[in-house]
Amino acid sequence: MTTTATRATTPAPAADPAPGGNAAGAVLAEAARRRTFAVISHPDAGKSTLTEALALHARVIGQAGAVHGKAGRRGTVSDWMDMEKARGISITSAALQFEYRDAVVNLLDTPGHADFSEDTYRVLTAVDAAVMLIDAAKGLEAQTMKLFAVCRHRGIPVITVVNKWDRPGKDALELMDEVAERTGLTPTPLTWPVGISGDFRGVLDRRDGTYRRFTRTAGGATIAPEETLTPEAAEAREGIDWTRAQEEVELLAASGADHDQETFLAGYSTPVLFASAVSNFGVAALLDTLVDLAPAPADRPDADGGSRALADPFSAFVFKVQSGMDAAHRDRLAYVRICSGVFERGMVVTNSSTGRPFATKYAQHVFGRERESIDTPCAGDVVGLVNAAALGVGDTLFTGSPVSYPPLSTFAPEHFAVARAMDTGRHKQFRRGIDQLESEGVVQVLRSDRRGDQAPVLAVVSPMQFEVATHRMEHEFHSPVALEPLPYTVAVRTDATSAAAVAASRGTEVLARGNGELLALFRDKWDLRSLRQRSPELTLEPMVAAQLD
């Protein structure tokens, strides 16, 4: 059966419905159609390729591309920065929305490079489910595990996709054991490969026992035709490969590896699919699984320990700010996740962090560099607000009764460098650029009285963020900077009471973030451990994803 899909254009109900009324029911009905998820993985596992394949199967685009755009193959729609195209990686986040079957799918493509975990973490605050992409040959890699830990911390249900099954790799049962041992989740495969890795014929659908046979297309640029065969026809065609797949599926059933919706939503099990994104094999099954199994938006916990109901007046939070997407306009786009109510173009909302009104002229779905205006996005949608100079990462926007959502956490930085303007006559441009990079979350900016405002410390998860910062400082803010690396590798939180004693320790420095939070920087974890042993009364709290063991 062929399922068609289009860009989401379904009109939403009027803004700010009264709970219990017809409008409130319409909001709940529209929210129930939403599926908002992110794709997470280690670098080079095929995340951008999968994003493109999903868009292709949803009929949003007519032909799939690859990141590099080589030899007649289009560049992926979701990767737009020059650095992304040159390196073949995702640095910024792309938000795609489309209709599939009776659902509205919001897909957040996240930076895949290990150097951009902090941005990926912020994206994970805006989703209701995650697709964990695993390279069939490499299994669960370091970055995958780090991002999975974030999903577990937030209670995000995870669907696992074993990608690149068309290439030589590990045994399928071995991969299931690895998922179980390293994540603690029970893998419950929905499909099972027919043919070993490197010889991908199709999949056995465990739900009905049929064989979904794939046919390759030229370069994987179009949807791969699928043929559904009965078990008898599959055995006649595939012989020993089908028999082996059936035997392995029987082992899975005997071990209790069958899908259970309650344990999936509770974070105890993970449905598993086998695919080849570059060949478009198994991608339709992933879309169907997301629609059928992934959770719809629910009432959102607020910072006061309560929750904002889906049918309450409009509220949203900013999880990503991006500048420079349109060089002709020098605009600033704020990605927001709508948590309740609906948005109407032109409505005036309140920024809870400042108490000031913010006039919204446009809300847009952002598809790479392409934009499409939308008037009334609903709870569960992710949209971009243009001309968002007054908004920062973590801000809550609302109408009606006030609400503030919990602040977004940051990863522990591991690399530090002092930034200085190469042209001291352009100090205003230097400060403006540094402040904007900080508000967007591109880098963490640390300051101290000793270093002064002209020599802030840039703190990042990994070095490539330095490259992004220096590139933007030169080309966007016209203030080239020189970076002086610092010897620190560990940052922990401290407080004003402990700051003086911490700073007096050898090889340690205390600096302040823009929100006033104090960070203590150490050369290595051994220096930190030594200070803790000598002065256990000092406040030295680990940050999210700190590698201190």
Side-chain angles (χ1 to χ4, degrees):
M1 181 178 66
T2 301
T3 304
T4 58
T6 60
R7 295 280 186 101
T9 56
T10 304
D16 294 353
N22 291 334
V27 169
L28 294 176
E30 281 298 311
R33 299 177 61 217
R34 266 57 184 177
R35 299 293 185 272
T36 303
F37 73 101
V39 182
I40 61 172
S41 76
H42 196 83
D44 301 322
K47 188 158 58 284
S48 291
T49 305
L50 178 63
T51 299
E52 199 82 354
L54 289 168
L56 175 68
H57 277 75
R59 307 302 199 273
V60 178
I61 59 175
Q63 189 176 30
V67 173
H68 295 289
K70 292 180 179 178
R73 189 168 166 87
R74 302 170 60 250
T76 56
V77 177
S78 61
D79 288 335
W80 58 269
M81 284 181 66
D82 291 340
M83 288 180 66
E84 295 183 86
K85 294 175 182 177
R87 294 173 181 266
I89 60 173
S90 294
I91 295 175
T92 55
S93 301
L96 317 179
Q97 186 187 68
F98 50 84
E99 288 189 355
Y100 183 78
R101 289 171 36 190
D102 59 348
V104 178
V105 178
N106 291 302
L107 189 167
L108 302 192
D109 183 35
T110 54
H113 200 280
D115 303 303
F116 294 91
S117 302
E118 188 160 358
D119 188 40
T120 303
Y121 178 83
R122 287 192 294 266
V123 170
L124 291 176
T125 66
V127 301
D128 301 311
V131 171
M132 183 168 67
L133 198 62
I134 298 176
D135 187 313
K138 300 176 181 177
L140 284 165
E141 300 175 85
Q143 182 69 356
T144 309
M145 289 303 301
K146 192 171 185 180
L147 296 173
F148 169 75
V150 176
C151 292
R152 168 173 280 174
H153 176 73
R154 294 205 60 249
I156 300 173
V158 174
I159 297 170
T160 298
V161 174
V162 178
N163 191 29
K164 301 184 181 180
W165 197 254
D166 57 325
R167 303 179 185 180
K170 297 183 178 182
D171 177 77
L173 289 173
E174 178 187 354
L175 282 168
M176 295 304 96
D177 289 340
E178 184 176 349
V179 169
E181 291 172 4
R182 299 191 61 191
T183 69
L185 298 178
T186 299
T188 58
L190 303 178
T191 63
W192 195 252
V194 176
I196 62 173
S197 55
D199 183 23
F200 198 10
R201 318 278 187 82
V203 295
L204 189 163
D205 190 327
R206 293 189 67 205
R207 291 162 290 191
D208 58 16
T210 59
Y211 175 38
R212 304 293 173 86
R213 182 175 179 273
F214 303 128
T215 302
R216 294 186 182 277
T217 62
T222 57
I223 294 176
E226 295 185 15
E227 180 184 6
T228 301
L229 302 178
T230 64
E232 294 75 18
E235 184 175 5
R237 177 184 288 272
E238 304 296 352
I240 187 63
D241 289 310
W242 175 257
T243 303
R244 183 184 298 112
Q246 284 187 313
E247 291 173 349
E248 291 174 338
V249 163
E250 290 174 2
L251 288 174
L252 293 172
S255 65
D258 296 323
H259 173 72
D260 180 83
Q261 186 68 1
E262 290 186 8
T263 61
F264 163 57
L265 295 179
Y268 297 118
S269 66
T270 176
V272 180
L273 301 164
F274 287 79
S276 168
V278 73
S279 301
N280 292 308
F281 288 2
V283 177
L286 174 57
L287 275 171
D288 288 330
T289 300
L290 284 163
V291 172
D292 294 337
L293 304 184
D299 297 349
R300 191 87 177 185
D302 60 29
D304 297 325
S307 65
R308 183 85 160 190
L310 289 171
D312 281 348
F314 169 83
S315 68
F317 67 89
V318 180
F319 66 91
K320 166 78 177 174
V321 176
Q322 179 67 53
S323 296
M325 295 183 74
D326 187 341
H329 297 95
R330 299 287 182 187
D331 60 353
R332 177 170 160 128
L333 188 75
Y335 290 84
V336 302
R337 156 68 189 247
I338 300 176
C339 302
S340 64
V342 296
F343 172 92
E344 282 192 340
R345 185 170 64 179
M347 72 189 306
V348 177
V349 300
T350 301
N351 184 341
S352 67
S353 63
T354 64
R356 297 177 180 175
F358 176 77
T360 61
K361 293 184 178 180
Y362 304 101
Q364 300 179 331
H365 293 313
V366 182
F367 190 66
R369 268 202 174 106
E370 300 176 17
R371 300 183 182 184
E372 182 178 277
S373 294
I374 183 169
D375 292 333
T376 52
C378 297
D381 285 342
V382 173
V383 297
L385 299 179
V386 300
N387 301 324
L391 302 182
V393 171
D395 286 350
T396 296
L397 307 177
F398 68 88
T399 61
S401 58
V403 63
S404 181
Y405 292 111
L408 305 188
S409 300
T410 55
F411 275 123
E414 299 175 11
H415 301 266
F416 307 85
V418 177
R420 292 187 174 87
M422 297 178 68
D423 182 352
T424 56
R426 304 186 67 81
H427 187 61
K428 288 184 178 179
Q429 291 89 334
F430 173 78
R431 287 195 60 179
R432 184 169 65 250
I434 293 294
D435 289 346
Q436 182 152 320
L437 294 180
E438 180 180 25
S439 70
E440 293 180 21
V442 175
V443 294
Q444 297 181 45
V445 180
L446 311 178
R447 297 179 172 88
S448 67
D449 292 338
R450 179 171 70 85
R451 293 190 179 276
D453 196 50
Q454 296 185 15
V457 173
L458 306 187
V460 300
V461 172
S462 287
M464 192 178 292
Q465 288 172 273
F466 287 143
E467 295 184 43
V468 175
T470 55
H471 182 273
R472 291 188 60 187
M473 287 296 294
E474 179 178 358
H475 296 281
E476 190 174 329
F477 304 107
H478 308 292
S479 178
V481 297
L483 297 184
E484 175 191 340
L486 295 174
Y488 309 120
T489 63
V490 175
V492 295
R493 293 187 180 91
T494 188
D495 56 24
T497 302
S498 303
V502 172
S505 180
R506 183 177 62 85
T508 303
E509 186 172 351
V510 176
L511 299 102
R513 299 180 64 197
N515 61 2
E517 184 177 60
L518 297 177
L519 296 188
L521 311 187
F522 294 82
R523 292 177 182 270
D524 52 47
K525 61 185 179 182
W526 308 112
D527 284 350
L528 170 60
R529 193 169 299 174
S530 176
L531 180 58
R532 280 177 168 164
Q533 291 174 349
R534 296 195 312 269
S535 305
E537 75 282 0
L538 297 178
T539 300
L540 298 167
E541 299 176 350
M543 300 175 67
V544 176
Q547 303 296 315
L548 302 180
D549 296 332

